Amino acid sequence: MTPQHTDCQPSLDDLESVAPALRHFTATLVQGTLWRNTDLNPRDRSLVTVAAAIARNHAVQLQPALDQALQHGVKPAEISEVITHLAFYAGWGNALAAVLPAKAVFARHGVAAADLPPVACEPLPLDEAAERQRATAVNANFGAVAPGVVKHTTDCLFLDLWLRPALAPRDRSLVTVTALVCAGQVAQVTYHLNRAMDNGLTQAQAGELLTQLAFHAGWPNVFSAMPVFKDVFASRH
Amino acid sequence: MTPQHTDCQPSLDDLESVAPALRHFTATLVQGTLWRNTDLNPRDRSLVTVAAAIARNHAVQLQPALDQALQHGVKPAEISEVITHLAFYAGWGNALAAVLPAKAVFARHGVAAADLPPVACEPLPLDEAAERQRATAVNANFGAVAPGVVKHTTDCLFLDLWLRPALAPRDRSLVTVTALVCAGQVAQVTYHLNRAMDNGLTQAQAGELLTQLAFHAGWPNVFSAMPVFKDVFASRH
Amino acid sequence: MTPQHTDCQPSLDDLESVAPALRHFTATLVQGTLWRNTDLNPRDRSLVTVAAAIARNHAVQLQPALDQALQHGVKPAEISEVITHLAFYAGWGNALAAVLPAKAVFARHGVAAADLPPVACEPLPLDEAAERQRATAVNANFGAVAPGVVKHTTDCLFLDLWLRPALAPRDRSLVTVTALVCAGQVAQVTYHLNRAMDNGLTQAQAGELLTQLAFHAGWPNVFSAMPVFKDVFASRH
C-alpha cells in the first residue's frame, strides 16, 4: 500500500517540481488575473469557487477556497448554507465530504455555533403563485413516475431549503447553477438560470460565472453550458 | 501542506458544528423517513446506497453504507459482486477505491474467504436468443468502430459477469441503473431499466430508487433521469 | 471518525480478500490481455491511463499509472504537460490532485528540474488560417455570452497551451479526447476527435482508445461516445 497524499493541498513549490507551467498558470491566472475581472466581484467568485470544489468533490481544494471566501466577505452562515444546499443539488456525499474541511477552517477563524444558521428559522416569503405553478407542472409530469421525488422536491426544497434566510435566493441560484455546470447537467440550466436572473443575477455576472467555472470545472463543461446560457439570455431580451 | 481529513467520515456532531440544518436533514430524512417508505425495502435501499457511494467515488460514505448493508441483510458475497460489477459499469478506479473500505468492514464483521464468490462458478442459464439479438445489434452498430469494446462487451459482460450467480440479475440491474443515474448517463437507461424490469424490478421500486438516488446522487441527476424512466414505464403498459 | 484508507492503492491480495473475481479480471484483463492488443501501443495506452486517472480524479490509481507510464517510455516532460493540459480540460482541482502523486513518482525515478518543460519555450508553428476560423466561429457564437471564456480559450488554450512543444499535438488530442469521454462530455468529441485525427491519430488507435477507456472510465461513458466516434469516422471517409 503506497500512501498517496490525497489529503494534502500542494504548494506552488510542489507545482514547480512537477509542472512549472501549471505553477505559472495557477499563480498568474487562476490566483491572479481571473479575480480582477469586475463583472463578478471577489465575494461572488469565492462563493462559486467553494461551491465548485464541493460539487466536484475536490477535497484538496476546499480549505484554501474556504479561507479565501471568508477573507472576501462570504459569511460563515452563508458557507454553512452552501454546504447544506449542495447536499441536495450535488449529492449527500459531496456535502458530507465538505464537513471536516469546513470544521477545520471555521475553528481557525474562530467561528462559533452562534454564527451558524439554526435549524428552525423564519422563512423568507413564498411566491405562492410561482410555487403552485412549479409544483403543478412537476406533479403532472412526474407524479406517477417517482412520487417520492416529487414530494421531497416540494416539501424539502421549495418549501424549506430555498426559504432559509441565511443565504439569499440569488446566491442559492448562483450555487445551484454552479452545481449544474460542474456536473455537466445542462438539462436543468434553463430553469435555474432563469430563476437566478429573476433573483437578481445579471447577464454579465452569469457570463463571468462561466469564466470562473472554465478553470474550476474544466473547459468541456463550460462549452456544453454556453449554448444553454445563450438561449436563456436571448429568451429574456 | 494542510491535512484535509478526506479519509474520515464526519459524525453528526461534526455536521452540527458546521451546518445544523445538514445535521437535521441527515438525521431526520436521509437516515430516517427515507428508509421507512415501503416501496423499496431496506435491503434494496442499502444495495443502492452502496452502489451509489462506489459509483460516485464517495469513499467517506462507503464504510457506513457497507456496515448498514450487512445489517439489512445484503450478503457479503453480494457486496463482493457489486464491487466487481461496478468495475465495469462505473470504472475500474471506482471499484479499486472500494476495496480497502470493504476489506475493513468485512474484517469487522468476520467475513471469511469462504463467504466470497469464487472466480470460477456455475453460470446462470443464458437466454441465448436475447443475447444473440443484443450481440448482433451492437456488432452491427459498433463492430467497425471499436471492435475491442464490442468483443469485451460480449465476452466479459454478457457471457461472464452477468451470469455470475452470487448476485441475482435483478440486483445487477438495480446496481447498473444506479450507476447510470449517478453518472448522469441517461442514454443507456432505456436499455438497462427495461432489462431491470424484465428481471423483476417493479415500477414502484424503480420510482423509489429515484428517491433514494435524489439524496445520494443529487437532484439534478434524478431530474435528468425521470423523463427516461417515464418513457420506459409508458412503453411497457 | 473512521479512517478510510482512501489514500492507499490496494494490492492484488487486498482485491482477493474482497472480490476474487475483481482480482481475476484485474490481473488477467486490465493488467494483462488489454495491453497486448497492438492497435494502441503500450506507450499510448499508458498516456491514456494516466490522463483517465487524472480526469476521473482517481488518486489511488495515479502513482501506479505514472510508474508504468515512465516504464513504457512516456517522458517526464510529457507527464508534466499532461497534468497542465488537464487543468484546462478536466478542471484545476483534478490537476492539483495529481501534483503530489506525480512529485513522489518523479522523486523515485530521479526526475530533475531540468527534465521538465520550462514556462517559456519556443512555440510550435501556428496554423493561422485554422486558428482564425476557430476563433471567429467561437467568437460569433459566444462572444456576447461569456467574453472571458472566449478570450481565455484563444489566449491560454490555442495560442499558448496547444503550442507548447513538450507534448506533441497528437498526444494533446489523445489526452483531450480521453478527458471528454471520461466526463461523458460527448458534445465536444466531434471537434476534438477530428482534430486528433488531423494530428495523426488513426481510426484503429481511436477505436482501441475506447477499449482502454471502457475499463478506466466505465462502459456507460464509452457506449455514449461510440455513436459520435462512428459519425466522425464516417464523415472522414
Side-chain angles (χ1 to χ4, degrees), chain C residues 1-227:
Chain C
M1 300 193 310
T2 315
Q4 303 265 347
H5 306 292
T6 53
D7 60 347
C8 290
Q9 167 74 7
S11 67
L12 284 176
D13 283 352
D14 292 325
L15 270 61
E16 181 74 23
S17 71
V18 166
L22 181 61
R23 184 213 157 103
H24 168 73
F25 287 126
T26 301
T28 63
L29 196 52
V30 178
Q31 298 179 349
T33 323
L34 186 60
W35 293 78
R36 291 195 287 274
N37 175 307
T38 53
D39 283 339
L40 197 67
N41 69 32
R43 182 264 177 199
D44 286 350
R45 224 172 262 278
S46 268
L47 194 71
V48 166
T49 303
V50 165
I54 298 172
R56 300 271 298 166
N57 213 17
H58 281 153
V60 294
Q61 298 278 78
L62 193 51
Q63 285 204 35
L66 288 170
D67 273 322
Q68 190 179 37
L70 290 170
Q71 285 154 15
H72 282 154
V74 180
K75 294 178 199 154
E78 291 172 327
I79 290 171
S80 177
E81 290 293 318
V82 166
I83 295 172
T84 303
H85 194 84
L86 288 173
F88 293 92
Y89 282 97
W92 224 260
N94 294 58
L96 292 187
V99 165
L100 292 178
K103 184 182 176 184
V105 172
F106 280 4
R108 282 205 297 277
H109 289 259
V111 175
D115 300 323
L116 302 177
V119 174
C121 46
E122 182 67 30
L124 296 172
L126 175 67
D127 180 339
E128 293 193 11
E131 169 54 17
R132 197 176 309 117
Q133 190 182 9
R134 186 208 60 75
T136 303
V138 169
N139 192 52
N141 215 354
F142 301 123
V145 175
V149 174
V150 170
K151 179 176 162 39
H152 288 302
T153 302
T154 297
D155 295 352
C156 301
L157 296 188
F158 289 98
L159 298 185
D160 188 344
L161 186 72
W162 279 88
L163 303 182
R164 292 179 56 80
L167 190 66
R170 179 262 194 196
D171 290 342
R172 274 190 200 277
S173 281
L174 197 57
V175 168
T176 306
V177 173
T178 294
L180 294 173
V181 175
C182 284
Q185 277 294 3
V186 293
Q188 286 130 64
V189 166
T190 301
Y191 174 77
H192 278 291
L193 181 56
N194 269 303
R195 187 178 171 98
M197 296 179 82
D198 292 345
N199 284 337
L201 193 76
T202 68
Q203 179 172 330
Q205 290 169 340
E208 189 58 15
L209 163 66
L210 289 175
T211 309
Q212 191 74 10
L213 290 179
F215 292 94
H216 289 94
W219 246 255
N221 281 321
V222 163
F223 263 75
S224 291
M226 281 203 296

Side-chain angles (χ1 to χ4, degrees), chain B residues 67-99:
Chain B
D67 274 323
Q68 189 179 37
L70 290 170
Q71 285 155 15
H72 282 154
V74 181
K75 295 178 199 151
E78 292 172 327
I79 290 171
S80 178
E81 289 294 317
V82 167
I83 295 172
T84 303
H85 193 85
L86 288 173
F88 293 93
Y89 281 97
W92 224 260
N94 294 59
L96 292 187
V99 166

Side-chain angles (χ1 to χ4, degrees), chain B residues 7-159:
Chain B
D7 59 347
C8 290
Q9 167 74 8
S11 67
L12 284 176
D13 283 352
D14 292 326
L15 270 61
E16 181 75 22
S17 71
V18 167
L22 181 60
R23 182 211 158 104
H24 169 72
F25 287 126
T26 300
T28 61
L29 195 54
V30 178
Q31 298 178 349
T33 323
L34 186 61
W35 292 79
R36 291 195 286 275
N37 176 306
T38 53
D39 282 338
L40 197 67
N41 70 30
R43 181 265 179 199
D44 287 351
R45 225 172 262 278
S46 267
L47 194 72
V48 167
T49 305
V50 165
I54 298 172
R56 300 271 299 166
N57 212 18
H58 281 154
V60 294
Q61 298 279 79
L62 193 51
Q63 286 203 34
L66 288 170
D67 274 323
Q68 189 179 37
L70 290 170
Q71 285 155 15
H72 282 154
V74 181
K75 295 178 199 151
E78 292 172 327
I79 290 171
S80 178
E81 289 294 317
V82 167
I83 295 172
T84 303
H85 193 85
L86 288 173
F88 293 93
Y89 281 97
W92 224 260
N94 294 59
L96 292 187
V99 166
L100 292 177
K103 185 182 175 184
V105 171
F106 280 4
R108 282 206 297 276
H109 289 258
V111 175
D115 300 322
L116 303 178
V119 174
C121 46
E122 184 66 28
L124 296 171
L126 175 68
D127 180 340
E128 292 192 11
E131 169 54 17
R132 198 177 308 116
Q133 191 182 10
R134 187 209 59 75
T136 303
V138 170
N139 192 51
N141 215 352
F142 301 124
V145 175
V149 174
V150 170
K151 181 175 161 41
H152 288 302
T153 302
T154 297
D155 295 351
C156 302
L157 296 187
F158 288 99
L159 298 185

Side-chain angles (χ1 to χ4, degrees), chain A residues 81-135:
Chain A
E81 289 294 317
V82 167
I83 294 172
T84 303
H85 194 85
L86 288 173
F88 293 93
Y89 282 97
W92 224 259
N94 294 59
L96 292 187
V99 166
L100 292 178
K103 185 182 176 183
V105 171
F106 281 4
R108 281 205 297 277
H109 289 258
V111 175
D115 300 322
L116 303 178
V119 173
C121 46
E122 182 65 30
L124 296 173
L126 175 68
D127 180 340
E128 293 192 12
E131 170 53 17
R132 197 176 309 116
Q133 190 182 11
R134 186 209 60 74

Side-chain angles (χ1 to χ4, degrees), chain A residues 1-11 13-26 29-30 33-34 37 39 56-61 100 103 181 183-186 203-204 206-231 233, chain C residues 1 5-11 14 55 57 59-64 76 79-81 83-84 87-104 106 108 113 116-119 134 138 140-142 144-150 152-153 156-157 160-161 164 179-180 183 185 187-188:
Chain A
M1 303 195 309
T2 314
Q4 302 268 347
H5 307 294
T6 53
D7 60 347
C8 291
Q9 166 74 6
S11 67
D13 282 353
D14 292 325
L15 270 61
E16 180 75 23
S17 71
V18 166
L22 181 61
R23 183 212 158 105
H24 169 71
F25 287 125
T26 301
L29 196 52
V30 178
T33 323
L34 186 60
N37 176 308
D39 283 337
R56 301 271 299 165
N57 212 18
H58 281 153
V60 294
Q61 298 279 78
L100 292 178
K103 185 182 176 183
V181 175
Q185 277 295 3
V186 293
Q203 179 172 329
E208 190 57 15
L209 164 65
L210 289 176
T211 309
Q212 191 74 9
L213 291 178
F215 291 94
H216 289 95
W219 247 254
N221 281 322
V222 163
F223 262 75
S224 291
M226 282 203 294
V228 189
F229 274 58
K230 184 181 182 180
D231 288 349
F233 293 165
Chain C
M1 300 193 310
H5 306 292
T6 53
D7 60 347
C8 290
Q9 167 74 7
S11 67
D14 292 325
N57 213 17
V60 294
Q61 298 278 78
L62 193 51
Q63 285 204 35
I79 290 171
S80 177
E81 290 293 318
I83 295 172
T84 303
F88 293 92
Y89 282 97
W92 224 260
N94 294 58
L96 292 187
V99 165
L100 292 178
K103 184 182 176 184
F106 280 4
R108 282 205 297 277
L116 302 177
V119 174
R134 186 208 60 75
V138 169
N141 215 354
F142 301 123
V145 175
V149 174
V150 170
H152 288 302
T153 302
C156 301
L157 296 188
D160 188 344
L161 186 72
R164 292 179 56 80
L180 294 173
Q185 277 294 3
Q188 286 130 64

